[in-house]
């Protein structure tokens, strides 16, 4: 059955968990990742492998059977609601609080998941017995259940109501279970005593560790000297390898342990395999392990524990290599294949040959909001369960001009919707300001301006408005911008107090823009390459402000302002003196983008613009053409 991670967690046998079970519901992948919940007798990530009979190694002795304890403190004469017992997903028929030990044994052995058990009542004759403690709990009757044919550390029995639902209220608090060495107190003529459960010590190995499992058929191929048993070391029909047919004087395999392990010798003749090898005779190769893509949670909201082939591939026991599910790769199938696999020339490339294949961790480092880098990380903490996939899930970082999950689509030019501008004259482009104060006459240092990750060349405090404008327009992120110095008669970018107010009027970059940033030049004169904790600069020559203290980093020798939320410590940011409201839509909202060619197909009446509401060569549909057809003839709609 194909289920989500949340559904898979809910299907877990409640007896395997200490409370009744763990949930997996709030994580991002709870409903996104699907996998197989295999039917009984099948296993593997895709349920294609058959399960072989498993049991105790017949060559190991003096190992204890699992003993679990139950105690019902209810008065069986007044409490008449029935119970059921669940074990490995199977549920017994309902039984009354007055059920006897023989009835419980019969009900448990009727389950398909249990072979043989013994049931012993400590005192009394009914499951819920207050005969020897009529006034106060605990009951004197501790029910001891020994698992005779179920080997290993078996799951806990779970006491449920008659409808196989969890017990609640007084009933829940009055029925106790003890497993794996836990104890239960009980009433006795001498007062209160304790009984202790026993954790099963026998092995639970495929083919009892004395044969090879054929995963295609579910049949055991027993090593010489071993045959099928009855699960108790005697000859039987289980199809396992738990019966010894002749005296054993050596470990399995030829040579012993197939040359890939060490034999323990008499009396168990058990192989301890070298790393990379497994099986009772060390003849099977083990495959690499990785974080499981799909598995049960180990705690609420915690999953993706280590699994062979990351639970997304089949292990080839002959080679020790994982045969991964389509779209997964790596030695342990531990990572997703990047999309857009294609052949370009003689080489095979991903992302359609138009981008780079990166992990989620790496992609986070390239994340931007409105063109500005973000301070966010993803998967940087390997112990964060919410970002377990940071190093496993891969995606495409597309080259400039390409988009889509596989970088197969071309992008089109964007711009202002001219019809909205005609309708609303208040829609304007953004204006930002910076103030630069020259604190000394040292002649430096240089500074740079940054916009959407692109930086200008190094600029001197004496840079003119025209030079500053040209430096910004040389950036690939800015087309046309107007730069002016507001202080009366200012001809330099930085001047003595109160400084030069620099105004930046964007002309071709539309909408609400990220702020320009100041980046001090580490190699400039007077700075000596020293930054103050990476947040400002160790020099008193210049002081930039944006007019808003929340955006400022001032000289390290005066003070460093705490950065505003969401910004990395990368210098002063310009003040938004007029918010851009002009809009910035693909094909200016007046055309359709041809994803194959990266060209806007403009609607009738619209054509290329100059990015500033006039005609031009930018194929963005941002210009309303002054001609239209009237009775089949083109006419100038603005002609008088």
């Amino acid at each position: 059955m194909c289920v989500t991670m949340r559904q898979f967690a809910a299907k877990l046998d409640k007896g395997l968990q200490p409370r009744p079970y763990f949930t997996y519901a709030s994580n991002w992948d709870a409903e996104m990742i699907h996998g197989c919940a295999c039917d009984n007798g099948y296993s593997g990530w895709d349920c294609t492998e058959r399960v072989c009979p498993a049991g105790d190694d017949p060559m190991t002795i003096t190992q204890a059977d699992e003993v679990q304890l139950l105690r019902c403190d209810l008065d069986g004469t007044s409490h008449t609601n029935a119970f059921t017992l669940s074990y490995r997903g199977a549920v017994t028929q309902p039984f009354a609080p007055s059920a006897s030990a023989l009835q419980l044994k019969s009900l448990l052995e009727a389950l398909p998941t249990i072979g043989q058990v013994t049931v012993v009542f400590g005192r009394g004759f009914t499951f819920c017995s207050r005969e020897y403690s009529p006034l106060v709990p605990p009951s004197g009757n501790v029910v001891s259940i020994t698992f005779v044919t179920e080997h290993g550390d078996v799951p806990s029995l779970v006491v449920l109501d008659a409808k196989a639902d969890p017990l609640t209220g007084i009933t829940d608090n009055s029925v106790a279970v003890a497993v794996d060495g836990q104890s239960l107190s009980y009433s006795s003529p001498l007062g209160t005593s304790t009984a202790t459960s026993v954790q099963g010590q026998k092995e639970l190995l495929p083919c009892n560790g004395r044969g090879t499992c054929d995963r295609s058929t579910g049949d055991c191929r027993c090593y010489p000297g071993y045959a099928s048993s009855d699960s108790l070391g005697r000859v039987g029909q289980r199809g396992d390898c738990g019966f010894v047919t002749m005296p054993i004087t050596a470990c399995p395999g030829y040579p012993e342990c197939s040359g890939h392990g060490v034999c323990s010798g008499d009396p168990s003749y058990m192989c301890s395999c070298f790393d990379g090898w497994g099986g009772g005779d060390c003849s099977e190769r083990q495959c690499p392990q990785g974080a499981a893509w799909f598995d049960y949670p180990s705690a609420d909201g915690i999953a993706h524990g280590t699994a062979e082939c990351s639970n997304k591939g089949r292990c080839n026991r002959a080679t020790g290599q994982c045969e991964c599910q389509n779209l997964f790769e790596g030695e342990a199938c531990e990572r997703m294949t990047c999309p857009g696999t294609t052949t370009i020339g003689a080489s095979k490339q991903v992302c359609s040959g138009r981008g780079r294949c990166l992990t989620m961790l790496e992609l986070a480092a390239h994340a931007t909001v409105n063109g500005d880098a973000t301070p966010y990380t993803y998967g940087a903490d390997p112990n964060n369960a919410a970002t377990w996939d940071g190093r496993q899930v891969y995606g495409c970082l597309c080259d400039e001009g390409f988009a889509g999950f596989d970088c197969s689509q071309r992008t089109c030019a964007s711009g202002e919707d001219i019809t909205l501008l005609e309708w609303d004259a208040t829609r304007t482009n953004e204006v930002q300001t910076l103030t630069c104060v020259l604190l000394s006459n040292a002649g430096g240092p240089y500074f740079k301006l940054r916009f959407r990750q692109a930086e200008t060349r190094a600029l001197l405090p004496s840079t003119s408005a025209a030079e500053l404008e040209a430096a910004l327009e040389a950036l690939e992120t800015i087309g046309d911008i107007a730069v002016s110095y507001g202080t009366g008669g200012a001809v330099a970018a930085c001047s003595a107090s109160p400084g030069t107010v620099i105004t930046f009027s964007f002309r071709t970059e539309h909408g609400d823009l990220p702020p320009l940033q100041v980046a001090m030049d580490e190699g400039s004169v007077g700075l000596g390459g020293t930054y103050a904790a990476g947040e400002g600069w160790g020099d008193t020559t210049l002081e930039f402000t944006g007019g808003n203290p929340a955006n400022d980093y001032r000289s390290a020798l005066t003070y460093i302002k705490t950065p505003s939320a969401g910004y990395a410590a990368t210098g002063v940011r310009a003040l938004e003196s007029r918010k851009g409201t002009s809009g910035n839509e693909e094909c200016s909202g007046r055309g359709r983008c041809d994803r194959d060619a990266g060209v806007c197909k403009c609607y009738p009446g619209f054509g290329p613009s100059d990015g500033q509401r006039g005609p031009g060569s930018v194929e963005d549909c941002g210009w309303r053409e002054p001609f239209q057809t009237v009775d089949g003839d083109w006419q100038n709609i603005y002609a008088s």
Side-chain angles (χ1 to χ4, degrees), residues 173-246:
N173 295 324
S174 300
V175 180
V177 181
V179 297
D180 295 343
Q182 297 172 336
S183 298
L184 288 180
S185 60
Y186 63 94
S187 297
S188 70
L190 300 178
T192 300
S193 300
T194 59
T196 303
S197 61
V198 178
Q199 186 177 42
Q201 299 173 341
K202 293 181 178 180
E203 297 86 7
L204 183 64
L205 302 173
C207 303
N208 302 68
R210 298 294 165 170
T212 300
C213 175
D214 185 338
R215 293 174 177 82
S216 64
T217 63
D219 296 328
C220 290
R221 295 194 296 269
C222 298
Y223 305 141
Y226 302 92
S228 178
S229 80
D230 64 350
S231 191
L232 296 175
R234 301 185 295 258
V235 65
Q237 303 300 317
R238 289 192 72 242
D240 61 7
C241 300
F243 175 63
V244 181
T245 63
M246 63 182 187

Side-chain angles (χ1 to χ4, degrees), residues 563-589:
S564 57
Y567 283 116
T570 53
V572 182
R573 290 163 179 79
L575 175 68
E576 185 179 71
S577 60
R578 187 178 74 189
K579 184 183 183 70
T581 58
S582 53
N584 190 39
E585 301 178 57
E586 188 177 60
C587 298
S588 304

